[in-house]
């Protein structure tokens, strides 16, 4: 609200209505009135229906994933059945934040092994915490890994260069174009 005591001046100083806004508001009013006048009328969809986030997901209840490692390097492994039983809040946290790979026999994170539970299998799925191979690993050099969030913060030239890497030369993580699909615009994402 503005500093004026007059209602009209409060609104006009801070709100701008352009033609597009008026059309959207008008459409909403017309739809509401039509629904009130004829409750059996159905409104055509305004957008294409989206796929279910779990459509086409693969998951085995016995599939194991790497959860974390303790100070001594001992790895904690869990399975999808264990994850399914957790609260929605804890599932979301594990799927979104516990993205590191293990070094032992089981290397996948929860979002990779438990795609249905984590809703992480869509063609354009991207987790900003996910880790990808960013270079190195050849000639004795240590591999470099970044997250999608770090990629997002790079300038356009750096993003393009990182998104063009085709194969990870070292480690267990994928390349940016496969991990950060939206940022790299992989397959139209």
């Amino acid at each position: 609200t503005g500093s004026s005591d007059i209602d009209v001046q409060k609104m006009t100083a801070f709100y701008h209505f352009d033609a597009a806004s008026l059309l959207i508001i008008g459409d909403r009013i017309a739809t509401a009135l039509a629904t009130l006048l004829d409750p059996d009328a159905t409104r055509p969809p305004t957008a294409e229906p989206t796929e279910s986030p779990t459509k086409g997901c693969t998951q085995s209840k016995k599939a194991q994933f790497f959860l974390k490692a303790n100070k001594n390097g001992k790895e904690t492994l869990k399975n999808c059945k264990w994850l399914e039983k957790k609260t929605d809040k804890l599932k979301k946290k594990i799927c979104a934040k516990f993205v590191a790979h293990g070094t032992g026999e089981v290397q996948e994170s929860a979002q990779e092994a438990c795609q249905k539970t984590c809703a992480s299998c869509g063609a354009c799925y991207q987790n900003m915490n996910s880790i990808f191979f960013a270079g190195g690993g050849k000639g004795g050099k240590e591999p470099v890994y970044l997250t999608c969030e770090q990629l997002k913060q790079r300038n356009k030239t750096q993003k393009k260069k990182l998104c063009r890497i085709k194969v990870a030369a070292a480690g267990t993580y994928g390349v940016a174009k496969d991990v950060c699909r939206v940022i790299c615009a992989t397959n139209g994402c």
Side-chain angles (χ1 to χ4, degrees):
T1 61
S3 59
S4 174
D5 291 333
I6 302 169
D7 288 336
V8 173
Q9 289 179 348
K10 285 182 187 178
M11 294 297 286
T12 56
F14 296 96
Y15 294 96
H16 172 74
F17 295 102
D18 57 10
S21 298
L22 293 173
L23 286 171
I24 292 168
I25 293 168
D27 180 59
R28 290 180 182 164
I29 292 170
T31 302
L33 281 172
T35 304
L36 285 172
L37 296 174
D38 185 7
D40 295 329
T42 57
R43 181 176 182 210
T46 56
E48 291 294 317
T50 56
E51 280 188 11
S52 163
T54 58
K55 183 180 180 187
C57 291
T58 59
Q59 175 173 308
S60 163
K61 291 182 185 225
K62 293 180 182 178
Q64 289 190 313
F65 63 90
F66 170 77
L67 183 64
K68 61 184 176 180
N70 67 16
K71 293 175 189 173
N72 300 325
K74 185 176 182 329
E75 296 184 351
T76 301
L77 305 178
K78 297 292 180 184
N79 61 34
C80 296
K81 185 176 181 180
W82 174 88
L83 183 60
E84 284 176 353
K85 293 178 181 179
K86 299 300 166 201
T87 64
D88 287 344
K89 184 177 179 180
L90 186 55
K91 277 190 266 194
K92 187 175 180 180
K93 179 181 177 181
I94 290 169
C95 293
K97 303 230 185 249
F98 289 79
V99 295
H101 284 188
T103 57
E105 192 174 310
V106 176
Q107 298 177 344
E108 291 185 317
S109 64
Q111 70 178 353
E112 295 162 319
C114 309
Q115 293 178 347
K116 189 170 185 179
T117 302
C118 291
S120 60
C121 61
C124 293
Y125 173 77
Q126 175 179 286
N127 177 346
M128 296 306 283
N129 296 311
S130 290
I131 302 165
F132 68 91
F133 172 81
K138 293 179 183 174
K141 289 185 180 179
E142 286 291 315
V144 176
Y145 301 104
L146 298 173
T147 65
C148 293
E149 181 63 40
Q150 291 169 317
L151 176 63
K152 180 182 171 190
Q153 295 170 2
R154 304 288 168 146
N155 67 41
K156 191 175 182 178
T157 305
Q158 290 173 328
K159 280 182 199 172
K160 212 177 221 184
K161 183 179 176 183
L162 290 166
C163 289
R164 283 187 184 150
I165 297 174
K166 295 185 183 206
V167 179
T172 61
Y173 296 100
V175 293
K177 69 181 183 75
D178 296 333
V179 177
C180 309
R181 293 171 175 264
V182 175
I183 295 170
C184 289
T186 305
N187 297 331
C189 291

